[in-house]
Amino acid sequence: METATRSYLVTGGVRSGKSTHAERLLRDHPAVTYVAPGPVPDPAADPDWAARIAHHRARRPAGWRTVETGDVAGAVAAADGAVLVDCLGTWLTAQIDAADAWDAAADEVHALVLGHLDALTPALAAAAGPTVLVTNEVGLGVVPEHRSGRLFRDLLGIVNQRVAAGCDEVHLVVAGRVLVL
């Protein structure tokens, strides 16, 4: 698939095949900057999450460079070619964690996230090469019982809309199948 200076948002449910599809979009690029924006877990505290990260790392081509950072805008701006960001849900979590804002007023957390988006969207528009961003689709099921779950769902919905507005294509992945929206 040709990806010359195009941007893609790849969304879908958990374990839908989003990451695999996103990696395929960039498979013909010898050098890709893979941005992992989530918190770095303690393998002893969460061995399942550590195993998941190890699985993702193992399937990446050797020429891909991994950058673990919450500064997605900076990583995209610094890359000189293709970029894959996996994923915006972990990025959102890291931003709220870093600000210790889970218990802050919703409008304060919204302002925090919108400030980060104000830096991210122009960086995506100015990217030197194709950019693929992975995110979780939220809001298709039960309303979360806890405030933090509802806050996350609402904010990720806003993040997804804003990023999708700046992308050339949005791909929805369901059960390993891709629908171009």
Side-chain angles (χ1 to χ4, degrees), residues 9 34 50 84 90 97 114 127 140 143 176-177:
L9 179 65
Y34 183 102
L84 193 155
T90 57
D97 284 350
L114 291 176
L140 295 175
V143 173
R177 298 291 185 101

Side-chain angles (χ1 to χ4, degrees), residues 42-43 96 116:
D42 174 1
I96 298 171
H116 289 293

